Amino acid sequence: MNSDRLSIARSLLEQRRFKAATRKLKKRTSLSEELLYSELLVMQNKSQIALNHLKSLLRLYPQASTVILKKQPTILQALGHVEAANELSCQLARENTNDILGYLSHLQNGFDPVIELNASLENTLKSNYEDPYVKGVAAYCLFNVKKDDSKYDYLHEGAKLIRSTIQYHHDANIQNIRSIANYFPVKTNDQDQITQYRSPIFIVGMPRSGTTLLEQMLGSHSKTLAVGESVNMGRIFAKHGLDSKGNINLSETDFAKARTEYLTLTYGEDSNKRTIVDKMPNNFIYVGFILSLFPNAKVIYSGRDPIDNCFSIYRAVFQKNRHKYSYNQTELADYQISCKYLMDMWIRKYPNNILNVKYECLVKDTEKELRKLVGFCELGWEEVCLDFHKNKNVVHTLSAHQVKKPVHSSSVGAGMRLLPYLSELAERLGVEANKTGIVRQT
């Protein structure tokens, strides 16, 4: 019975039906339910209440203290207690030396390295019996903690190991991305109904291109509802835009039904008086479908220097089965090129709906670029958008610790400075360095 209740509550949480999820979890009788309730509080931006709840669980379930404590550092970080978050996360890393994936998460969240773990990571990497994925994660950990040039050897080894565990049909994926624009624009049969809907804002582009930063800025506006990395549009497209064989077929698509399903799923129990900010980078693939559902929608294309962007992706380990192309420099470059190709196609087809925001411009002259962005979205200027980093919400992406700080430009040019270690990537992107160290694009 508890497992059924837990499953239903998790489904409600994913649908943003927070009140229904709260009712389902009202009589909690297990640690799993209590932990899900803490996630529910976080999703409702009740970070302090979630933290207090987790602390109370330590008294109720002392035997599960590690599991409970692991939920706390990112919440502390969001609340601005950076030192306490770092101290707790380091403590957990020292106490759980076998949790290599947890340690990588610790490092990718911006917490300090625990140097005494290096020897065990090296042993894991050298083991002939360890799972390749775990060895790959160990290599990424060593990349993050090493200070000399040997770190890039660990990076390449980690990427190669993880890629060896992934089933991914690269050529087919690239072909699908490049061909999807051919199916749009498409006429829908309910144009007269569209004006009654509040058109969402979609933030798209490559991962690690500044999409989370843009979401935090727009999500701070009083008239918006930021819903995080929602998979709803992809699911709606798969349900209404593909035939039984998985091929694109829009001839019988009920766009009104698809639109209603998207809004219902995405708003959940939130008021539809606010404008949705849907930040899912991969939605760049579905821009044509998005603008068929919402012809007045605003699409924000987050662009970044290709080498910087790709290096930021290549150096990260994502959740399993996400961004499968990211562990091979050539495949990563192909994906980057295809993203730009497709976005250029969309811009030609829908020039009035898409704004290209360049990351480098955004961090150099933030207020100017942000005013342009807010104006494009027809929201009206609010100073609070500049203070996005003071937001106490928990961010669930690799950029979490970065967007809790004021805008900075420290990552601009990072990839260019490392071209000697990214030769395959640079060659595919058409970038090279001459002997003077000056970079040029071929």
Side-chain angles (χ1 to χ4, degrees), residues 118-334:
N118 286 8
S120 63
L121 292 171
E122 293 277 11
N123 290 336
T124 297
L125 190 55
K126 294 174 183 176
S127 171
N128 294 323
Y129 306 101
E130 191 61 81
D131 176 81
Y133 184 84
V134 174
K135 292 175 68 173
V137 171
Y140 269 91
C141 288
L142 288 165
F143 161 73
N144 277 277
V145 301
K146 291 290 184 178
K147 300 297 184 183
D148 58 20
D149 288 353
S150 69
K151 66 186 297 175
Y152 300 104
D153 294 330
Y154 289 110
L155 173 61
H156 299 321
E157 186 173 2
K160 185 177 180 180
L161 284 163
I162 291 179
R163 179 66 181 85
S164 73
T165 69
I166 295 173
Q167 285 191 323
Y168 170 54
H169 304 291
H170 178 67
D171 292 341
N173 188 35
I174 294 301
Q175 178 59 35
N176 289 338
I177 291 172
R178 285 178 165 265
S179 64
I180 194 170
N182 298 332
Y183 296 89
F184 299 93
V186 61
K187 289 186 178 180
T188 63
N189 55 8
D190 64 337
Q191 293 293 316
D192 57 325
Q193 302 177 30
I194 290 172
T195 55
Q196 65 183 286
Y197 296 97
R198 184 178 297 276
S199 295
I201 298 167
F202 294 88
I203 301 174
V204 305
M206 288 289 287
R208 314 291 292 151
S209 65
T211 55
T212 301
L213 176 60
L214 289 169
E215 180 205 28
Q216 292 297 297
M217 289 174 167
L218 287 177
S220 298
H221 198 285
S222 63
K223 294 182 180 179
T224 65
L225 172 67
V227 297
E229 291 199 341
S230 166
V231 298
N232 292 339
M233 186 54 69
R235 289 177 177 174
I236 295 294
F237 178 76
K239 180 178 179 180
H240 293 278
L242 303 179
D243 62 22
S244 59
K245 296 181 179 179
N247 299 314
I248 296 175
N249 185 351
L250 301 165
S251 61
E252 298 182 7
T253 298
D254 187 335
F255 286 93
K257 184 176 181 180
R259 183 185 305 112
T260 300
E261 284 184 20
Y262 171 81
L263 291 172
T264 300
L265 281 171
T266 309
Y267 271 119
E269 294 170 341
D270 283 294
S271 169
N272 61 9
K273 293 181 180 180
R274 292 195 288 169
T275 299
I276 289 171
V277 177
D278 184 333
K279 191 274 297 192
M280 172 55 82
N282 282 358
N283 277 347
F284 78 84
I285 298 170
Y286 309 118
V287 168
F289 187 68
I290 287 170
L291 294 175
S292 298
L293 296 179
F294 303 101
N296 298 319
K298 305 298 184 182
V299 177
I300 313 304
Y301 170 35
S302 182
R304 187 180 176 189
D305 175 86
I307 284 285
D308 283 359
N309 197 171
C310 286
F311 173 62
S312 186
I313 295 170
Y314 184 62
R315 66 175 295 165
V317 176
F318 298 93
Q319 293 178 11
K320 281 192 174 182
N321 296 319
R322 294 198 64 186
H323 310 307
K324 296 179 179 181
Y325 56 85
S326 67
Y327 304 101
N328 177 284
Q329 291 186 54
T330 301
E331 292 174 346
L332 173 54
D334 286 345

Side-chain angles (χ1 to χ4, degrees), residues 19 37 42 48 52 63 122 125 130-131 160 215 222 255 341 350 407:
K19 293 179 181 177
Y37 181 66
V42 168
Q48 186 60 60
N52 293 341
Q63 73 281 7
E122 293 277 11
L125 190 55
E130 191 61 81
D131 176 81
K160 185 177 180 180
E215 180 205 28
S222 63
F255 286 93
Y341 170 86
Y350 306 99
V407 171

Side-chain angles (χ1 to χ4, degrees), residues 2-46:
N2 284 353
S3 62
D4 290 342
R5 182 167 62 206
L6 190 66
S7 178
I8 294 170
R10 186 171 294 282
S11 177
L12 291 168
L13 182 59
E14 291 174 354
Q15 298 173 47
R16 297 183 62 81
R17 295 174 60 187
F18 299 140
K19 293 179 181 177
T22 301
R23 289 194 295 271
K24 184 60 65 175
L25 292 172
K26 186 174 182 179
K27 297 180 180 179
R28 300 181 295 280
T29 58
S30 70
L31 177 60
S32 296
E33 289 177 329
E34 295 288 6
L35 292 176
L36 184 60
Y37 181 66
S38 72
E39 290 181 35
L40 172 61
L41 292 169
V42 168
M43 287 285 289
Q44 296 178 91
N45 300 324
K46 299 177 180 178

Side-chain angles (χ1 to χ4, degrees), residues 297-419:
K298 305 298 184 182
V299 177
I300 313 304
Y301 170 35
S302 182
R304 187 180 176 189
D305 175 86
I307 284 285
D308 283 359
N309 197 171
C310 286
F311 173 62
S312 186
I313 295 170
Y314 184 62
R315 66 175 295 165
V317 176
F318 298 93
Q319 293 178 11
K320 281 192 174 182
N321 296 319
R322 294 198 64 186
H323 310 307
K324 296 179 179 181
Y325 56 85
S326 67
Y327 304 101
N328 177 284
Q329 291 186 54
T330 301
E331 292 174 346
L332 173 54
D334 286 345
Y335 197 89
Q336 163 76 44
I337 292 166
S338 297
C339 173
K340 186 178 186 307
Y341 170 86
L342 183 56
M343 284 308 306
D344 286 345
M345 293 285 286
W346 292 137
I347 290 170
R348 285 197 290 272
K349 290 173 181 280
Y350 306 99
N352 297 323
N353 295 88
I354 303 173
L355 179 68
N356 185 355
V357 178
K358 294 188 180 300
Y359 176 79
E360 292 77 13
C361 296
L362 184 63
V363 300
K364 182 179 180 180
D365 196 342
T366 303
E367 182 170 345
K368 176 185 175 182
E369 294 299 315
L370 188 51
R371 282 183 178 275
K372 186 192 304 181
L373 172 62
V374 170
F376 175 78
C377 295
E378 300 177 1
L379 292 172
W381 176 251
E382 290 184 359
E383 290 288 335
V384 69
C385 295
L386 286 170
D387 295 326
F388 66 93
H389 55 283
K390 298 178 182 178
N391 194 311
K392 301 299 183 184
N393 300 343
V394 176
V395 179
H396 300 280
T397 72
L398 292 178
S399 303
H401 66 286
Q402 295 167 322
V403 296
K404 293 303 178 182
K405 302 174 183 176
V407 171
H408 58 86
S409 58
S410 60
S411 62
V412 174
M416 288 293 194
R417 292 188 290 270
L418 299 172
L419 280 188

